[in-house]
Amino acid sequence: MSEPGTPGGAPGGAPQPSGVDLARVALRAARDAARARGDAAQQRKQTRRGGLRSGAGADRRDPMALGAAINRLLTERGWEAPAAVGGVMGRWPEIVGEDVANHCAPERYDEDERVLVVRCDSSAWATNLRLLAPTLVARLNQDLGHGTVKQIKVQGPGGPARRYGPLRAPGSTGPGDTYG
C-alpha cells in the first residue's frame, strides 16, 4: 500500500531512511551516549582522587601553609579577639612583669562583656592589681586593638572547701582577710 511516486511508500512524499542511514543514526546516538557516560565516569574518578586537578597557576584548591590556614579559619569564624586574648594569657609575664605574674594569673576572658578575670594568690596582691588595672587595660588594648578589654576583674584567692558539720557555726563566712 504505497503511494505512487514515493520511493519506499512513505506517506507525504518523504523518503524513508534506508538500512545504512538507520545504522548511521544509531551509531551516532550510541557514540553520544558513550561519550556522556565516559564524561560522568571521568568526573567521578577525579572526585575520588581528590577533585579536579589544578593547573600551573595558583588556585584556591592549592595547598596552603598551616599558619595561613589557621589565620583564615580565625577570620572566617570571628575568633580573632579570643585568640588574641589567649595569646596574652601565654605572654602574661611579659605584659605585667615577672613579679606581678608570680602572684597573679589570668583565668578567663568574657568575650561578650570584654572582661578579663585575673586571680591573685593573696588579698594584698589583689588590691595592688586593682590599682594597676587601668594601666593594664591600656597596655592590653594597645597590644590587642582598641576596645578588646574594657575591664579587668580582680579576684582574691579562693578559700578552702567549706566543711559543714556539728562543729561548724551556721552562717559563718570562714577564715578572715586572707581569703577575700
Side-chain angles (χ1 to χ4, degrees):
M1 300 203 171
S2 60
E3 291 184 11
T6 58
Q16 278 189 333
S18 65
V20 173
D21 293 332
L22 287 174
R24 284 186 186 143
V25 169
L27 180 62
R28 183 175 300 130
R31 282 182 181 163
D32 290 342
R35 188 174 297 123
R37 281 193 313 270
D39 289 345
Q42 182 69 21
Q43 286 179 348
R44 284 193 303 269
K45 187 176 180 182
Q46 287 178 346
T47 302
R48 280 193 303 259
R49 274 192 279 164
L52 300 173
R53 299 290 179 187
S54 176
D59 191 1
R60 65 177 175 79
R61 298 172 292 175
D62 288 342
M64 57 184 354
L66 180 63
I70 290 174
N71 287 337
R72 188 171 117 196
L73 178 69
L74 290 174
T75 303
E76 287 174 356
R77 302 288 171 116
W79 294 341
E80 292 100 351
V85 172
V88 164
M89 291 184 180
R91 296 181 294 121
W92 184 252
E94 297 172 18
I95 295 170
V96 297
E98 203 63 42
D99 196 29
V100 175
N102 287 335
H103 299 281
C104 304
E107 278 195 344
R108 66 182 177 274
Y109 174 70
D110 184 4
E111 186 179 356
D112 296 332
E113 296 180 16
R114 298 181 187 261
V115 174
L116 179 66
V117 178
V118 179
R119 170 115 18 221
C120 297
D121 61 1
S122 71
S123 57
W125 277 102
T127 303
N128 189 20
L129 195 65
R130 283 186 189 104
L131 294 173
L132 292 173
T135 308
L136 286 177
V137 168
R139 191 179 300 166
L140 288 170
N141 284 330
Q142 180 183 4
D143 193 34
L144 301 173
H146 183 68
T148 304
V149 177
K150 290 184 178 179
Q151 180 184 6
I152 294 179
K153 189 180 284 188
V154 181
Q155 296 179 343
R162 303 280 169 104
R163 296 188 193 117
Y164 297 100
L167 300 177
R168 182 93 179 142
S172 66
T173 57
D177 182 43
T178 319
Y179 297 101

